[in-house]
Amino acid sequence: MSAGPGAERAGGEERDTAVTAALTAFHRAPSVTMDITMDTGTHKLRGTVRAARDGQCLIKIAYGGQGTLQMIRTRGGSAYMKMDEAQIRAAARERRRSPGETESDVARVADRWIVGKRSSPAFRKGLQLCGLSATVPKPQDAAEGNPEPERVTEGGRRLLAFTERDGDGNFGIYITEAGPVVYKVEGTGGGEFFSVVFSRYGQSVKAFHPPAGAVLTEDDLPAADRQFITGTGI
């Protein structure tokens, strides 16, 4: 988001107080919802992650034209993944699965939860989205390289835009003046773009185990399919 010609520079002490308060609030929040948009140039996705610091997490990712993936992590650390038919077929095309293998995958796995080992590639990579601490800088890092954030308006919200160069791109943190809370982080570079909008601070996340009849274990999958199925995902 460009600040635009009407952007204002934020004053020093006021700015520092708002930034520190917002980042502190983020790192102390028991839970938050993250709406994610990503464009890598070859893949586009939109998703929602509801994550709590007690370990509960709900993920739903829609890939542009390539189906949907969902994940659950319970408070006790159990992890589940579910792919719809379109996601399975897209993954099969990418990995050059035969028509017979693809139909077998769809029949066996589509819209059923797989309980997995968190060491499996898809689970390990997908559940990284549940991490809150690495998403936003710590308060002590707030002013580094960004002495004068700008005041901007987005969706009727007055924000402090805290931006810096990041390699060949840009990274920005947007903080509401009212509150204050972290509203958004976004970045560009290398032909890629990502944006994460934060909301529902402190609202409960209820990550339940799926019904037993809707769950497969990795051991339920044929050995030839196990690596394919549990290695797909984000």
Side-chain angles (χ1 to χ4, degrees):
M1 178 185 71
S2 172
E8 308 169 20
R9 294 290 179 180
E13 184 175 351
E14 178 186 359
R15 179 280 319 284
D16 292 341
T17 299
V19 170
T20 300
L23 297 182
T24 299
F26 178 88
H27 287 287
R28 290 179 178 174
S31 64
V32 69
T33 292
M34 298 176 278
D35 290 305
I36 301 170
T37 302
M38 185 177 297
D39 185 345
T40 66
T42 55
H43 296 92
K44 296 181 180 181
L45 65 83
R46 295 181 65 88
T48 298
V49 178
R50 299 188 61 203
R53 296 193 188 278
D54 66 3
Q56 296 185 87
C57 185
L58 301 169
I59 299 173
K60 186 173 183 178
I61 303 292
Y63 298 83
Q66 295 186 328
T68 300
L69 178 143
Q70 296 182 63
M71 299 189 77
I72 295 172
R73 185 177 67 192
T74 67
R75 180 181 290 136
S78 297
Y80 303 87
M81 176 176 66
K82 181 169 71 173
M83 296 175 283
D84 66 5
E85 179 177 342
Q87 169 71 1
I88 293 171
R89 291 188 182 280
R93 287 193 298 271
E94 184 175 335
R95 290 161 177 79
R96 299 183 179 180
R97 300 279 280 179
S98 71
E101 290 172 327
T102 300
E103 295 308 318
S104 177
D105 296 332
V106 169
R108 183 180 297 110
V109 178
D111 296 316
R112 297 187 69 183
W113 291 100
I114 300 171
V115 58
K117 302 176 179 67
R118 282 176 288 173
S119 60
S120 298
F123 286 90
R124 185 174 64 250
K125 191 173 182 181
L127 291 173
Q128 288 177 352
L129 295 173
C130 299
L132 295 177
S133 297
T135 309
V136 171
K138 300 294 190 295
Q140 60 267 30
D141 300 325
E144 185 176 343
N146 296 274
E148 295 187 22
E150 295 175 317
R151 285 190 173 95
V152 300
T153 301
E154 181 177 311
R157 294 178 177 84
R158 293 279 290 177
L159 306 172
L160 289 176
F162 185 77
T163 60
E164 65 178 333
R165 292 289 298 174
D166 183 15
D168 61 350
N170 293 290
F171 176 77
I173 301 176
Y174 298 80
I175 293 169
T176 61
E177 287 193 299
V181 296
V182 178
Y183 171 69
K184 179 175 70 170
V185 297
E186 68 178 16
T188 61
E192 299 185 359
F193 168 82
F194 78 90
S195 171
V196 184
V197 175
F198 302 95
S199 63
R200 303 177 73 178
Y201 281 88
Q203 294 193 17
S204 63
V205 177
K206 297 180 179 179
F208 297 115
H209 297 272
V215 173
L216 297 170
T217 70
E218 291 188 26
D219 292 335
D220 292 327
L221 304 173
D225 294 350
R226 196 170 300 151
Q227 184 176 1
F228 164 70
I229 294 297
T230 58
T232 60
I234 300 168

